[in-house]
Amino acid sequence: MLKFIAKRLGSAIGVLFAASLLLYILVINSGDPLKDLRESNADNREYLMAQRIEYMELDQPWYLRYWDWLTGVSKCFVGQCDLGRNINGVEVSGLLANAAASTLRLVLIATVIAAILGIAIGVLTAVRQYSGLDYIVTFLTFLFFSLPVFWAAVLLKEYLAIGFNDWIASPDISLGTSILIGIVLGLIMQMFLAGSLKRRALTFVAVAIFVPLVLQYSLWLNFYRFPQMGPAIVVVLTLLVALSATSMTAGLKEKRVLYPALITVVLVLAAYYATFYLMSEPNTWILLGGLILAVAIPALVGRLMGGRLRKNAASVAMVTGFVGAALTVIDHIFRAWPGFLDNKGRPISTIGSSTANFEGGYWDHFLDNGTQLLLPTILLAIISLASYSRYTRSSMLEVQQQDYIRTARSKGLSERTVIFRHAFRNAMIPIATIAAFDFAGLIGGAVITERVFGWKGMGEMFATGLDHVDANPVMAFFLVTGTAAIIFNLLADIVYAMLDPRIRV
């Protein structure tokens, strides 16, 4: 394994070197970085030109400038990166740190959301091949994939930002609209759940009646301005996750898996009360530490109580603990929402990654950053959704034709066991490659997204560098995206061996 990683890293460094050299030459020959000053009538024009020449080292041959940049990059291995200065004399390393934090936060969240939803949709459509659901999902995923980014961004701004901000000031859903929403959701749910005609009809009727009642009841509670959940809802939802995860992996009859999951639900309730005041005004490290404990402790319980099924028990307990911790965080976010609305007024902004001079506690800033992330994250996620769903569907259909799947079915195993314990794991091997390329690709795609939403991220730094024929910011962008592509492809190769022991690196 170590020999394989060393060889891959060696070849990756060679690829990065050749690509960086080509990009550097293309950028510096794409225009004149002094053009705006040559056309200026300022009295100190000559001084400004001399200053820019000094900042950008334009008095040096291109190969010496490239060598200086390469030397500065090599210092990153000892934690002293020197990526030069931009056209205004500002250190690019500082600009990159802020831009990368903004962009990677956006891209990472969009990738996770797209992967989870895309894989789930792909598995479902593969199981329900050539059904009405399959055709509708296929149409929608390719529709999202084909949307022009700038046009979709304008639609999101209009309806999910401006329209929502107007609506949240005085929330109202008419009875007719509630009934229409219930009918639409009923049609969707009966397609997802499938089954006999009678079952589908009952599903449709139940959803079509239940949803309008819930919507009208939520308006009566003024839930949209004063949301509330509480420990009872947290426990009930966590319990449902525990039962669902147990049913999907081992079945509810397997007590070695079920009991650790139920114990985790009790631990979530105990942690809710024990950390209530601490979570009222936490910090990022407290949340991160709590998340680690919420996964580690249930995993330990599952391994100790699971016996021969300890891996399944640990996995189910970890999922239950993670969901319970997430619901606890959501409960505190709900409690902070009314104050956030009063403080900010219009919660979803259409420009920028944060609100300037925004005052408030930890949860207020958390909500501010979250609402700023909402629109660009949705945009990047729906674009990537098609790739994940279609590749997952294709991979699942191919795997289901294998002999070992037919053997599993002939042995009398349940369809749930065949799908999730035999087919799903092997179907994930091609998806590891897609995820690796998608992450790096989204960073490049974020250039347009960040421009539309006014984010000061890597996309903005890259575009500004190209506009001003400023090589150092462009090369900094390449350094991050190129390195991300190499690392994620290496991780994909390692994941192959984890998913399928027959694969050896």
Side-chain angles (χ1 to χ4, degrees):
M1 176 68 77
L2 292 177
K3 183 179 179 181
F4 167 78
I5 293 175
K7 289 175 63 176
R8 285 294 305 271
L9 288 177
S11 61
I13 291 174
V15 171
L16 285 175
F17 170 75
S20 65
L21 178 60
L22 176 62
L23 180 62
Y24 194 89
I25 293 173
L26 290 174
V27 172
I28 64 175
N29 287 284
S30 63
D32 181 9
L34 300 176
K35 180 180 178 180
D36 59 322
L37 294 180
R38 296 187 198 280
E39 298 173 351
S40 173
N41 295 321
D43 295 336
N44 60 342
R45 185 183 67 172
E46 297 300 326
Y47 170 76
L48 294 175
M49 291 178 64
Q51 191 178 48
R52 184 173 296 180
I53 290 172
E54 179 186 355
Y55 289 154
M56 302 180 67
E57 298 181 341
L58 297 178
D59 55 338
Q60 300 291 330
W62 70 267
Y63 49 85
L64 289 181
R65 282 186 277 156
Y66 175 75
W67 177 254
D68 288 342
W69 178 82
L70 202 61
T71 304
V73 170
S74 65
K75 295 179 182 178
C76 294
F77 292 104
V78 294
Q80 298 178 349
C81 287
D82 180 11
L83 303 180
R85 291 182 288 181
N86 69 356
I87 198 169
N88 297 316
V90 180
E91 291 289 339
V92 174
S93 298
L95 295 176
L96 179 63
N98 295 328
S102 178
T103 297
L104 293 179
R105 177 182 58 179
L106 168 63
V107 171
L108 182 62
I109 295 175
T111 301
V112 171
I113 293 174
I116 293 174
L117 292 180
I119 291 173
I121 291 172
V123 172
L124 183 61
T125 52
V127 173
R128 306 270 301 283
Q129 185 184 16
Y130 301 136
S131 65
L133 175 65
D134 186 20
Y135 289 123
I136 292 174
V137 169
T138 299
F139 169 76
L140 290 177
T141 52
F142 279 107
L143 175 65
F144 292 150
F145 185 76
S146 304
L147 287 177
V149 174
F150 57 88
W151 182 72
V154 172
L155 291 181
L156 290 177
K157 282 186 176 185
E158 176 65 28
Y159 295 105
L160 288 186
I162 298 173
F164 177 81
N165 289 335
D166 294 337
W167 178 82
I168 197 65
S170 181
D172 182 51
I173 304 175
S174 66
L175 182 60
T177 302
S178 299
I179 294 174
L180 179 61
I181 293 173
I183 292 173
V184 172
L185 291 179
L187 292 172
I188 294 174
M189 288 301 297
Q190 61 89 21
M191 283 193 299
F192 271 95
L193 297 180
S196 63
L197 181 61
K198 180 180 178 181
R199 178 185 174 182
R200 296 175 67 170
L202 289 175
T203 300
F204 170 76
V205 172
V207 174
I209 294 175
F210 180 73
V211 169
L213 293 177
V214 169
L215 290 175
Q216 293 301 310
Y217 182 63
S218 64
L219 286 173
W220 181 75
L221 289 177
N222 201 9
F223 177 84
Y224 303 102
R225 291 193 64 86
F226 298 92
Q228 47 197 297
M229 191 157 61
I233 301 298
V234 171
V235 170
V236 169
L237 293 178
T238 306
L239 178 61
L240 291 176
V241 169
L243 296 176
S244 300
T246 303
S247 175
M248 291 174 61
T249 54
L252 295 176
K253 294 181 180 180
E254 286 290 350
K255 307 303 181 186
R256 292 186 180 90
V257 179
L258 179 62
Y259 287 161
L262 296 178
I263 290 174
T264 302
V265 175
V266 176
L267 292 175
V268 167
L269 178 61
Y272 178 91
Y273 285 106
T275 63
F276 186 82
Y277 291 105
L278 182 64
M279 290 288 290
S280 297
E281 196 60 42
N283 57 51
T284 303
W285 292 110
I286 290 176
L287 292 181
L288 182 60
L291 178 61
I292 293 173
L293 291 176
V295 173
I297 294 176
L300 180 61
V301 173
R303 293 192 70 86
L304 292 176
M305 298 182 62
R308 63 181 178 82
L309 297 175
R310 58 182 179 273
K311 289 185 178 180
N312 286 341
S315 299
V316 171
M318 287 168 62
V319 170
T320 304
F322 176 82
V323 172
L327 290 172
T328 302
V329 170
I330 292 173
D331 178 71
H332 285 277
I333 291 175
F334 278 4
R335 295 175 185 275
W337 178 254
F340 173 71
L341 283 181
D342 293 337
N343 193 4
K344 191 173 179 181
R346 298 179 69 81
I348 301 181
S349 302
T350 58
I351 296 295
S353 57
S354 62
T355 303
N357 302 319
F358 182 76
E359 296 180 358
Y362 178 84
W363 290 119
D364 292 317
H365 285 280
F366 183 91
L367 283 167
D368 179 53
N369 292 328
T371 52
Q372 300 282 6
L373 272 170
L374 182 64
L375 299 185
T377 299
I378 291 175
L379 182 59
L380 291 177
I382 62 176
I383 292 173
S384 298
L385 195 64
S387 299
Y388 285 104
S389 63
R390 302 319 295 169
Y391 274 99
T392 301
R393 179 182 181 276
S394 175
S395 184
M396 283 289 294
L397 290 175
E398 181 179 354
V399 167
Q400 289 186 76
Q401 303 302 318
Q402 300 298 318
D403 290 339
Y404 68 90
I405 297 296
R406 285 193 288 267
T407 302
R409 287 195 173 104
S410 66
K411 288 168 63 177
L413 296 179
S414 66
E415 190 66 15
R416 181 198 66 240
T417 303
V418 172
I419 295 298
F420 290 102
R421 296 189 63 182
H422 294 275
F424 180 68
R425 183 170 180 173
N426 288 310
M428 287 300 97
I429 294 175
I431 307 305
T433 303
I434 299 302
F437 281 105
D438 186 66
F439 184 83
L442 277 182
I443 297 178
V447 174
I448 299 176
T449 305
E450 289 180 3
R451 280 217 158 186
V452 174
F453 290 103
W455 274 56
K456 299 297 182 181
M458 292 176 58
E460 191 268 344
M461 185 178 69
F462 174 80
T464 302
L466 283 181
D467 289 341
H468 294 92
V469 198
D470 191 359
N472 286 337
V474 177
M475 298 304 293
F477 176 87
F478 164 81
L479 183 65
V480 173
T481 54
T483 303
I486 294 299
I487 291 176
F488 275 85
N489 276 281
L490 178 61
L491 291 176
D493 288 337
I494 296 173
V495 169
Y496 291 161
M498 296 172 59
L499 291 171
D500 189 346
R502 295 172 299 176
I503 297 176
R504 290 289 177 263
V505 296

